[in-house]
Amino acid sequence: MRLHELPGDPTLRKKTKRLGRGHGSGRGKTAGKGHKGLQARSGGHRRMAGFEGGQMPLQRRLPKRGFSNVAFGNPHQAVNLASLNVFGDGAKVDLAALRGRGLARRKLPVKILAKGTLTAKSLTVEAQAFSASARQAIEAAGGA
């Protein structure tokens, strides 16, 4: 058997439409693209978000309002006092220990907040930031 003798599916070899070959072909003159306009041009398909056919888009028609403080924020990931109870008494709690328990997953500085009560005694907690009431609660439980 030779390469040209291999059986093949004839539907896989579909002929391409020949556009713009006279009005007798049914696809002449504008070649199925209508009259003028963006989509009649070469490479002319605008699929950008908010594009309204050349009309001024909605997000540009509306006035700008408000202020975003995102650029000036001080991002931390919060760890509450109640979640520190998973550590035993006298344990050393640092970033590696928090990551090991799944309490600090993101790559952001950790801030200990005072939500909940701390039942574990004499914890040594190391974090980048503490709220004032969280610091007092840790020290009241004999920790540092």
Side-chain angles (χ1 to χ4, degrees):
M1 181 174 280
R2 300 269 169 91
L3 193 60
H4 68 277
E5 295 172 348
L6 288 172
D9 189 358
T11 59
L12 294 178
R13 290 184 293 277
K14 186 175 179 181
K15 289 191 173 185
T16 59
K17 289 181 183 176
R18 297 189 71 222
L19 303 176
R21 295 296 183 268
H23 62 82
S25 69
R27 291 276 183 184
K29 195 182 170 217
T30 54
K33 287 191 171 272
H35 290 281
K36 300 183 181 177
L38 181 68
Q39 296 187 18
R41 309 283 191 240
S42 171
H45 278 32
R46 291 292 288 252
R47 289 225 167 83
M48 292 171 48
F51 183 70
E52 298 185 14
Q55 173 177 301
M56 186 63 65
L58 180 66
Q59 72 269 19
R60 291 187 61 195
R61 289 195 302 259
L62 298 177
K64 293 196 286 187
R65 290 188 53 117
F67 172 73
S68 174
N69 201 25
V70 173
F72 305 102
N74 190 6
H76 283 88
Q77 53 185 331
V79 176
N80 294 314
L81 279 180
S83 57
L84 294 181
N85 291 325
V86 298
F87 297 100
D89 292 342
K92 181 182 178 189
V93 180
D94 57 357
L95 187 60
L98 290 171
R99 288 227 170 110
R101 295 282 184 151
L103 296 174
R105 296 181 182 201
R106 298 183 294 166
K107 293 183 178 179
L108 288 175
V110 173
K111 183 171 185 176
I112 308 295
L113 301 179
K115 186 173 182 181
T117 57
L118 184 63
T119 58
K121 303 292 183 197
S122 62
L123 287 179
T124 305
V125 183
E126 294 178 5
Q128 283 80 14
F130 293 87
S131 67
S133 51
R135 186 181 299 274
Q136 291 173 356
I138 292 170
E139 290 171 353

